[in-house]
Amino acid sequence: MLAIGIDLGGTTIKGALVHREKGLLDQLAIDTEAERGLEHTLSRISEAIKMTAGRAQGAEITGVGIGAPGVISFDRKSVSNPPNLMGWTKVHLAREITERTGYSAILENDANLMALGSARYGIGKNYHSFIMLTLGTGVGGGIIFNNELFRGTTGGAGELGHVIIDYNGPESNSVTRGGIEAYLGQRFLSHHAALILKENPENDLYKQFDGNFSTLEPLHLSQAAKKGNELARSILAWAGKKLGYAIVNYIHILDIRTIILSGGVARAGSLLIEPAKKAALTRLMPPFHPGFDIIYEDLGNEAAMLGAAALAFDGFVN
Amino acid sequence: MLAIGIDLGGTTIKGALVHREKGLLDQLAIDTEAERGLEHTLSRISEAIKMTAGRAQGAEITGVGIGAPGVISFDRKSVSNPPNLMGWTKVHLAREITERTGYSAILENDANLMALGSARYGIGKNYHSFIMLTLGTGVGGGIIFNNELFRGTTGGAGELGHVIIDYNGPESNSVTRGGIEAYLGQRFLSHHAALILKENPENDLYKQFDGNFSTLEPLHLSQAAKKGNELARSILAWAGKKLGYAIVNYIHILDIRTIILSGGVARAGSLLIEPAKKAALTRLMPPFHPGFDIIYEDLGNEAAMLGAAALAFDGFVN
């Protein structure tokens, strides 16, 4: 059985042709052209779907799952106020897509789809329950409980980047202060690193950027740390410690002890994970220690498209 | 249909005779005599059960639910390391009770039973999902999702008093720092209030205690605040604000927006709830605002016994 997974972004629309058992068969990407407004973007999404379907060589396609920004309705048919998409307020995207393509469609937010993609096609297959954190521009979360997404009462569960660990802490991209997005979000971590590097002109990383850190990314910290740069290592450890405290909160509330990391910042690997584990274990109540682990998902952005297709395989409601 | 709900404490064993629809029919309490060790305490529990059953006037009793301290096994049959019970390590309490009384038995922790009791017999009946916080000596939590307890992967979910809001914050009765138990637990709030009152000898509450606050309880703060004592009011508002931040964390993770408070400290009512609401709304992401509310459960400790009986009504597994 085949399904199409779409990753709708403000810049790019990605489409994946997915086989239920075999996973990703093919993928493509086209420009969103979001600046041309709602109608045009709907046409672009439909075009991406048709192009992806064209790669199926006539095999039947069960439907389309779409990962979208913004707030997704509980019935997974509408999206409200997606950032970066011009002219979208509340859009019944499932219906619009069905009208344009003939396929049934179902929506979910990206972070939840990353979790579902990992659960069905990635390292998450090994766990019936886990917490997925996507450490990218923002910090997104998805909760898999007994092999299904835990959605809460309206579908909004899992805003894990906005869980407070310091109520006096810094702001991030929301009204919440002191959530891990404010420490580990790509822009925030880069900014923090730049501040520290500016005070350390003798550091190799300072020299590499010639004191101008506008293009510094967490990846540079990982690269430097792996080459033995102690300052870069300590900055990642600082971020990992914050992550560890947030993980304590997830586990004390959910009693789900497997944490899976994805996203660009997570590529720091053990430089981030080991300090996170250590911090979490100091504050986690002892009955929650057995089975606690933090692991890395290397599916990358494909996880969201795979998760979108998985949603389509799980079925549609009318 | 009748069931027995038992609240097993280090000092007192309470027993309630509960009718499935009508709720509490009768209750009694006997001393635990925990200092006499495991065997004796098991006899005392059995005696409380038999005494409670004796009030049923021959009507059939479906079984016994027991609220116990310590870590409850996922199958709800064993309890490990209950504090305040001498000589208990891991005890298969369900079997021990069945052997002594003939009744099927099932266990759960107190905080979860408070939530279940409210869901079946209290204000929680009005909500299919809610988060229950019991603000007592410690701060306990229970999560009701779609009318059932959310238990996580091992039955440990809902340790809501140990969710960090300030990773540099004070310690409470666990390894976690800066959880709300460290601010709102009875002893911690009283201690905080005493520190502030000592610096304000002109305050009426200082005079009431003659500067010696060893017997000060949160109840005194509420009473004084209701009489117009601004300092007492500000201390409760301080605690409410902390509570509000923790609630942001619960809601961002679970997307369950009804918060029900019980326990002695919660008797402060709006003096605590209004500052909590205000703080939560400043940090809660806007999509989570609709439906958000904090309400008070006045069932008191009976909620735990009613919840224990509810567990017995829900059935036993072998």
Side-chain angles (χ1 to χ4, degrees):
Chain A
M1 195 191 279
L2 301 183
I4 291 172
I6 293 288
D7 180 1
L8 170 59
T11 310
T12 308
I13 300 167
K14 293 178 195 155
L17 187 67
V18 179
H19 184 279
R20 189 166 197 161
E21 282 79 39
K22 294 175 195 161
L24 191 69
L25 298 182
D26 206 347
Q27 60 179 314
L28 53 82
I30 63 173
D31 290 343
T32 309
E33 298 173 0
E35 68 285 358
R36 295 180 61 184
L38 173 61
E39 276 304 319
H40 184 75
T41 306
L42 291 173
S43 298
R44 296 294 288 169
I45 300 168
S46 304
E47 200 167 325
I49 291 168
K50 287 172 190 166
M51 287 168 67
T52 309
R55 312 247 176 122
Q57 299 173 314
E60 198 194 339
I61 290 170
T62 190
V64 181
I66 304 177
V71 177
I72 310 293
S73 63
F74 195 49
D75 67 3
R76 289 172 161 156
K77 293 181 175 183
S78 303
V79 54
S80 300
N81 305 313
N84 309 322
L85 294 178
M86 305 299 128
W88 291 51
T89 48
K90 179 167 179 175
V91 177
H92 197 299
L93 186 56
R95 189 174 56 214
E96 299 287 352
I97 292 304
T98 302
E99 281 174 10
R100 283 168 174 78
T101 67
Y103 294 119
S104 295
I106 186 165
L107 321 181
E108 189 47 91
N109 78 60
D110 286 340
N112 276 350
L113 291 181
M114 291 291 290
L116 194 60
S118 178
R120 299 281 193 270
Y121 299 100
I123 197 153
K125 281 168 78 172
N126 302 313
Y127 305 91
H128 61 77
S129 302
F130 64 86
I131 293 163
M132 178 114 187
L133 280 169
T134 302
L135 308 175
T137 311
V139 174
I143 300 163
I144 299 288
F145 182 62
N146 290 340
N147 298 310
E148 302 295 339
L149 271 171
F150 179 84
R151 303 181 67 212
T153 61
T154 75
E159 278 293 353
L160 304 180
H162 303 276
V163 166
I164 297 165
I165 60 168
D166 177 5
Y167 61 82
N168 284 319
E171 285 185 330
S172 68
N173 298 320
S174 84
V175 297
T176 311
R177 295 184 77 99
I180 54 164
E181 182 168 284
Y183 304 101
L184 282 100
Q186 188 149 328
R187 186 162 61 85
F188 300 95
L189 181 54
S190 301
H191 180 69
H192 174 77
L195 288 179
I196 290 181
L197 286 167
K198 278 178 188 162
E199 291 172 9
N200 290 275
E202 79 294 347
N203 191 277
D204 284 347
L205 207 47
Y206 184 99
K207 293 170 189 161
Q208 182 182 332
F209 281 86
D210 216 7
N212 176 359
F213 301 107
S214 58
T215 58
L216 178 83
E217 291 190 12
L219 183 62
H220 300 116
L221 295 174
S222 308
Q223 288 168 343
K226 280 169 191 164
K227 283 186 217 147
N229 189 317
E230 282 302 321
L231 191 63
R233 178 180 285 267
S234 74
I235 293 168
L236 290 168
W238 170 91
K241 200 169 168 183
K242 304 288 184 286
L243 178 60
Y245 296 142
I247 287 171
V248 169
N249 285 355
Y250 312 148
I251 296 179
H252 280 173
I253 293 177
L254 295 165
D255 188 16
I256 296 174
R257 305 175 187 187
T258 301
I259 314 296
I260 302 184
L261 303 185
S262 66
V265 176
R267 281 193 219 122
S270 62
L271 292 163
L272 195 70
I273 289 176
E274 291 308 318
K277 272 190 196 170
K278 195 177 156 196
L281 285 169
T282 60
R283 304 294 169 86
L284 205 50
M285 296 166 84
F288 294 95
H289 288 204
F292 164 59
D293 205 2
I294 307 176
I295 56 184
Y296 177 67
E297 167 63 84
D298 60 7
L299 265 184
N301 288 332
E302 287 172 7
M305 287 190 283
L306 288 164
L311 215 56
F313 289 131
D314 285 352
F316 299 88
V317 279
N318 287 311
Chain B
M1 195 193 276
L2 301 183
I4 291 172
I6 294 288
D7 181 1
L8 170 60
T11 310
T12 309
I13 300 166
K14 292 177 193 155
L17 188 67
V18 179
H19 183 279
R20 187 165 196 162
E21 281 79 38
K22 294 176 194 161
L24 191 69
L25 298 182
D26 206 346
Q27 60 178 313
L28 53 81
I30 63 173
D31 290 343
T32 310
E33 299 173 358
E35 69 283 0
R36 294 180 61 184
L38 174 62
E39 277 303 319
H40 184 74
T41 306
L42 290 172
S43 298
R44 295 295 287 169
I45 300 167
S46 304
E47 199 167 326
I49 291 168
K50 287 172 190 164
M51 287 169 68
T52 309
R55 311 249 175 120
Q57 299 174 313
E60 198 194 338
I61 290 170
T62 191
V64 181
I66 304 177
V71 177
I72 309 294
S73 63
F74 195 49
D75 67 3
R76 289 172 161 157
K77 293 181 176 183
S78 303
V79 54
S80 300
N81 306 313
N84 308 321
L85 294 177
M86 306 298 128
W88 290 51
T89 48
K90 179 167 180 175
V91 177
H92 197 299
L93 186 57
R95 189 174 57 213
E96 299 286 351
I97 292 304
T98 302
E99 283 174 8
R100 285 168 173 78
T101 67
Y103 294 118
S104 295
I106 186 166
L107 321 181
E108 190 46 271
N109 79 60
D110 287 340
N112 276 350
L113 291 181
M114 290 292 288
L116 195 61
S118 178
R120 299 283 194 269
Y121 299 101
I123 197 151
K125 280 168 77 170
N126 302 312
Y127 305 90
H128 61 77
S129 302
F130 63 86
I131 293 163
M132 179 114 187
L133 281 169
T134 303
L135 309 175
T137 311
V139 173
I143 299 162
I144 299 289
F145 182 63
N146 290 340
N147 299 309
E148 301 294 338
L149 271 171
F150 178 83
R151 303 180 68 213
T153 60
T154 75
E159 279 293 354
L160 305 180
H162 304 276
V163 167
I164 298 165
I165 59 167
D166 177 4
Y167 61 81
N168 284 318
E171 285 186 327
S172 68
N173 299 320
S174 83
V175 295
T176 311
R177 296 184 77 98
I180 54 165
E181 182 168 284
Y183 304 100
L184 282 99
Q186 188 149 329
R187 185 163 62 86
F188 300 97
L189 181 53
S190 302
H191 180 68
H192 174 77
L195 288 178
I196 289 181
L197 287 167
K198 277 177 187 163
E199 292 174 10
N200 290 274
E202 79 293 349
N203 190 277
D204 285 348
L205 207 47
Y206 184 99
K207 292 171 189 162
Q208 183 183 330
F209 280 86
D210 218 6
N212 176 359
F213 301 107
S214 58
T215 59
L216 178 84
E217 290 191 11
L219 184 62
H220 300 116
L221 296 173
S222 307
Q223 288 168 343
K226 280 168 191 165
K227 283 185 214 148
N229 190 318
E230 283 301 321
L231 191 63
R233 178 181 286 266
S234 74
I235 293 168
L236 289 168
W238 169 91
K241 200 169 168 183
K242 304 288 185 284
L243 177 60
Y245 295 140
I247 286 171
V248 169
N249 284 355
Y250 311 149
I251 295 179
H252 280 172
I253 293 177
L254 295 166
D255 188 16
I256 296 174
R257 305 176 188 189
T258 302
I259 314 296
I260 303 184
L261 303 184
S262 66
V265 176
R267 282 194 218 120
S270 62
L271 293 162
L272 195 71
I273 289 175
E274 291 308 319
K277 271 190 196 169
K278 196 178 155 195
L281 284 169
T282 60
R283 303 294 168 86
L284 205 52
M285 296 166 86
F288 294 96
H289 288 203
F292 165 59
D293 205 3
I294 307 176
I295 56 184
Y296 177 67
E297 167 63 85
D298 60 6
L299 265 183
N301 288 332
E302 286 172 8
M305 287 190 284
L306 287 164
L311 213 57
F313 289 131
D314 285 351
F316 299 88
V317 278
N318 289 313

